[in-house]
Amino acid sequence: NAGVTQTPKFRVLKTGQSMTLLCAQDMNHEYMYWYRQDPGMGLRLIHYSVGEGTTAKGEVPDGYNVSRLKKQNFLLGLESAAPSQTSVYFCASMLTSGSHEQFFGPGTRLTVL
Amino acid sequence: DQQVKQNSPSLSVQEGRISILNCDYTNSMFDYFLWYKKYPAEGPTFLISISSIKDKNEDGRFTVFLNKSAKHLSLHIVPSQPGDSAVYFCAARSSGTASKLTFGTGTRLQVTL
């Protein structure tokens, strides 16, 4: 099993450009999450999904959109990137609500110039 | 308002000694507490957890203690090894909220020879 994978690993964008980050998991997990990590701060939840076709806002959702068209994939979109979105983005998945352990991907380092 | 706090950004411990990492929280609705370990350029990996109804959980060299009255938990690593050098995040799960986690800002542990 590959676990949780993220594509791409690194990306540099110019202000105003758009991009999509892809998260894939092969563990048949129901729940998936997108976080961002900034220096001196913990991981902050952007959006999450409790199942295929469902999404919900987390703590810092502004400027991001998500989609969960397939159970194994969770996409994070930036429609018009801003320098404040420079961060490391982590995707995580969890089996069900009865679990408490989230499994994380390796992260995507995004720089917005 | 930070609900999960790790007040020590860094900690240095000699190999073989005990490492104690601390975490404080403010929300009484947290029902599970977790510790994650993170190496550079990797995603966080789950280390150990404790239910809010317990006061201690042990797994090999790692023990987590929970003091609900003080809203405080700690992670003990005995004996510390150089491979334990990493950033440790404390996280708390909110009951009934799609298992969302709230993370602390992390403590960088360095185990010296």
Side-chain angles (χ1 to χ4, degrees):
Chain A
N1 286 352
V4 180
T5 58
Q6 293 183 231
T7 309
K9 289 187 167 48
F10 303 94
R11 185 73 186 268
V12 178
L13 289 179
K14 293 182 179 177
T15 297
Q17 286 185 318
S18 64
M19 78 163 294
T20 301
L21 283 69
L22 171 64
C23 175
Q25 52 92 6
D26 61 0
M27 298 176 283
N28 202 34
H29 284 178
E30 289 292 334
Y31 289 22
M32 296 186 76
Y33 308 83
W34 275 108
Y35 295 90
R36 61 177 287 174
Q37 186 195 7
D38 301 294
M41 305 186 77
L43 283 76
R44 291 182 294 167
L45 183 64
I46 304 171
H47 285 279
Y48 63 98
S49 168
V50 299
E52 182 179 312
T54 72
T55 63
K57 293 181 180 179
E59 179 187 357
V60 289
D62 293 343
Y64 305 95
N65 56 74
V66 288
S67 64
R68 182 110 182 260
L69 299 179
K70 292 183 179 181
K71 185 177 183 179
Q72 63 268 35
N73 295 337
F74 195 28
L75 280 62
L76 178 71
L78 285 74
E79 290 187 349
S80 179
S84 61
Q85 294 178 304
T86 293
S87 188
V88 180
Y89 291 86
F90 290 101
C91 175
S93 71
M94 190 173 70
L95 184 58
T96 66
S97 62
S99 311
H100 55 271
E101 178 186 347
Q102 294 183 13
F103 294 80
F104 283 82
T108 295
R109 183 173 293 275
L110 175 67
T111 301
V112 183
L113 303 176
Chain B
D1 177 30
Q2 212 168 354
Q3 297 186 63
V4 178
K5 298 180 183 179
Q6 293 177 257
N7 292 318
S8 298
S10 63
L11 175 67
S12 183
V13 172
Q14 269 191 324
E15 182 181 11
R17 302 275 192 164
I18 183 172
S19 295
I20 300 176
L21 293 86
N22 295 304
C23 179
D24 297 295
Y25 64 95
T26 57
N27 188 342
S28 299
M29 296 303 292
F30 290 141
D31 67 347
Y32 248 99
F33 301 90
L34 302 88
W35 286 94
Y36 279 83
K37 178 179 180 179
K38 186 183 179 306
Y39 292 118
E42 294 184 11
T45 54
F46 171 76
L47 190 58
I48 192 169
S49 64
I50 187 167
S51 165
S52 61
I53 63 174
K54 307 261 185 177
D55 55 19
K56 177 182 175 182
N57 187 27
E58 192 171 354
D59 183 2
R61 297 186 297 115
F62 303 92
T63 303
V64 57
F65 295 92
L66 175 62
N67 183 333
K68 282 190 72 175
S69 60
K71 293 191 173 67
H72 177 84
L73 65 154
S74 60
L75 174 68
H76 292 211
I77 307 173
V78 183
S80 300
Q81 299 174 353
D84 296 329
S85 297
V87 177
Y88 290 78
F89 289 100
C90 170
R93 186 182 81 166
S94 304
S95 59
T97 59
S99 290
K100 291 187 289 184
L101 296 180
T102 302
F103 284 84
T105 52
T107 296
R108 182 177 301 278
L109 173 65
Q110 184 172 10
V111 180
T112 59
L113 297 174

